């Protein structure tokens, strides 16, 4: 009796064991797929959250940069306000009755100063250098032909000519603007200037001069 039972048990084990292996393998595969699915969903959520946070951070940075750019932009000052500033006590305390360029010293590399001033100090309504020129460093100094008091700071009182740009230290853009506005102020009669007197020998222009006399032919 024991032998047939053993034979039956061996046959059953041979048939049931592969089925058990297949079922266990299927369970393992199902578990792995479920784990992978959960991981992919988690990664998608994490990516969406990270993208949202990045977009929010970028928006906040843009808002901060816009606010900072608006704050860093130079305010617009009219020539009337500049005239009032030149007549105020604040201007007198700052410059002590001297020219606006008197105490300006430009930073440069080496011991030999450059032979030209910088092209400009302001780009896109912002100061682009750490050592701006005498006009660009003070936002209340507006170069205009009607702002005569400011223009007189750059004109020599003895000769009536403009000071050398290497002496005043103003940037090339402001220097060209100064030349334009000074000439315009002279044309409007706001700045006085002297015309050199020249004596003419009118004998050179009469018809008795050999160069202009009429030669009579016989």
């Amino acid at each position: 009796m024991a032998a047939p039972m053993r034979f039956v048990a061996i046959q059953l084990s041979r048939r049931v064991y592969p089925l058990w292996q297949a079922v266990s393998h299927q369970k393992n595969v199902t578990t792995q797929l479920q784990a992978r699915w959960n991981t992919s969903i988690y990664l998608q959520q994490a990516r969406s959250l990270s993208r949202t946070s990045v977009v929010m951070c970028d928006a906040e940075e843009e808002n901060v940069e816009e606010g900072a750019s608006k704050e860093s932009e130079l305010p617009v000052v009219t020539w009337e306000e500049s005239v009032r500033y030149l007549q105020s006590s604040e201007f007198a305390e700052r410059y002590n009755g001297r020219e606006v360029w008197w105490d300006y010293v430009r930073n440069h590399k080496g011991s030999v100063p450059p032979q030209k001033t910088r092209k400009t100090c302001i780009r896109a309504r912002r100061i682009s250098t750490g050592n701006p020129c005498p006009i660009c460093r003070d936002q209340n100094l507006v170069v205009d032909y009607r702002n005569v008091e400011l223009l007189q700071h750059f004109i020599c009182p003895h000769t009536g000519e403009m000071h050398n740009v290497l002496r005043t230290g103003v940037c090339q853009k402001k220097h060209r603007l100064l030349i334009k506005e000074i000439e315009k102020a002279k044309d409007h009669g706001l700045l006085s200037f002297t015309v050199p007197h020249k004596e003419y020998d009118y004998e050179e222009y009469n018809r008795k001069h050999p160069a202009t006399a009429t030669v009579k032919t016989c």
Side-chain angles (χ1 to χ4, degrees):
M1 187 66 185
M5 292 295 294
R6 185 177 179 183
F7 177 76
V8 172
I10 291 172
Q11 293 297 325
L12 288 174
S13 64
R14 287 179 179 177
R15 294 181 180 180
V16 171
Y17 182 71
L19 293 174
W20 177 81
Q21 281 185 337
V23 171
S24 62
H25 179 69
Q26 187 67 28
K27 286 183 179 179
N28 293 333
V29 170
T30 304
T31 304
Q32 292 177 0
L33 290 175
Q34 188 66 29
R36 290 179 180 178
W37 177 258
N38 294 334
T39 305
S40 65
I41 292 175
Y42 174 76
L43 290 174
Q44 289 178 0
Q45 292 177 352
R47 287 173 183 173
S48 63
L49 289 174
S50 64
R51 289 175 182 174
T52 305
S53 62
V54 167
V55 170
M56 292 178 65
C57 291
D58 291 341
E60 291 178 357
E61 289 179 357
E62 288 178 359
N63 293 331
V64 171
E65 288 179 357
E66 288 179 0
S69 63
K70 290 181 180 178
E71 291 179 357
S72 61
E73 286 184 356
L74 296 174
V76 178
V77 181
T78 61
W79 69 271
E80 294 94 341
E81 295 175 349
S82 180
V83 170
R84 290 195 294 269
Y85 169 69
L86 290 168
Q87 297 173 355
S88 64
S89 59
E90 179 184 357
F91 178 80
E93 292 177 0
R94 181 170 184 176
Y95 295 101
N96 294 324
R98 296 179 177 177
E99 290 82 358
V100 295
W101 49 266
W102 182 265
D103 58 347
Y104 176 74
V105 179
R106 181 184 174 185
N107 298 334
H108 58 83
K109 295 181 181 179
S111 58
V112 180
Q115 298 301 313
K116 291 183 179 180
T117 57
R118 63 172 59 90
K119 292 183 179 180
T120 183
C121 304
I122 299 175
R123 292 181 173 86
R125 295 182 59 186
R126 299 180 189 176
I127 295 178
S128 59
T129 178
N131 185 27
C133 73
I135 295 179
C136 296
R137 67 181 178 181
D138 194 345
Q139 61 188 11
N140 294 314
L141 299 179
V142 178
V143 180
D144 192 273
Y145 75 96
R146 291 161 291 191
N147 195 356
V148 180
E149 188 174 351
L150 177 62
L151 298 179
Q152 288 176 345
H153 284 251
F154 298 90
I155 299 175
C156 179
H158 306 289
T159 61
E161 298 180 356
M162 281 189 61
H163 290 295
N164 194 330
V165 64
L166 296 178
R167 185 180 184 187
T168 58
V170 295
C171 61
Q172 298 178 23
K173 183 176 181 180
K174 294 297 182 181
H175 183 66
R176 291 193 297 268
L177 183 60
L178 279 169
I179 295 174
K180 176 183 176 182
E181 296 300 322
I182 288 175
E183 293 297 328
K184 194 173 181 180
K186 289 180 180 179
D187 292 340
H188 284 76
L190 300 176
L191 280 176
S192 61
F193 60 97
T194 57
V195 178
H197 178 69
K198 184 177 181 180
E199 295 183 358
Y200 293 94
D201 186 6
Y202 294 99
E203 295 294 332
E204 297 179 357
Y205 299 94
N206 58 18
R207 297 186 63 83
K208 295 180 180 180
H209 195 273
T212 59
T214 303
V215 180
K216 295 182 180 180
T217 60
C218 298

